[in-house]
Amino acid sequence: LSAEEYVTASQLSSFFHVSNKTIRAWVKSINDEGEAFGVSIESRPHYGYILIADDPEDIERLKQSLSSAEAMSPDSPNTMMNVLLKEG
């Protein structure tokens, strides 16, 4: 996920081996947490999801926060955000 290119829920669900409904729930959770950092995932019908950040430094601060989170489950929103931030 990047600030330049949309990614569909289907692409994300295939990558993470979860349902589109799970992706929507994760995006909501990520947006709730990312709000404090000025980072969000915007959804646009027929395009998909795109990462929105007020400042590139905000993304770095969010990455650090997620990296320091204890024992992330492989199927958690925090893990998804870490993977997406590294891929983007």
Side-chain angles (χ1 to χ4, degrees):
L1 197 60
S2 74
E4 293 106 27
E5 188 175 318
Y6 283 91
V7 178
T8 67
S10 294
Q11 290 170 309
L12 292 171
S13 64
S14 292
F15 182 85
F16 289 104
H17 305 287
V18 297
S19 69
N20 287 359
K21 184 177 178 179
T22 298
I23 295 298
R24 287 191 302 274
W26 284 0
V27 167
K28 182 185 179 325
S29 178
I30 290 165
N31 281 339
D32 291 345
E33 187 167 339
E35 184 177 7
F37 294 91
V39 177
S40 66
I41 298 174
E42 180 181 282
S43 174
R44 184 172 174 198
H46 307 290
Y47 285 85
Y49 297 106
I50 193 164
L51 184 63
I52 304 294
D54 297 334
D55 182 330
E57 288 298 313
D58 294 338
I59 295 172
E60 289 304 316
R61 289 183 325 140
L62 179 58
K63 280 184 188 179
Q64 290 173 0
S65 172
L66 293 174
S67 294
S68 65
E70 293 182 25
M72 291 186 295
S73 157
D75 60 350
S76 76
N78 283 357
T79 300
M80 177 183 154
M81 184 55 123
N82 269 325
V83 170
L84 293 177
L85 291 173
K86 287 177 186 169
E87 299 287 323

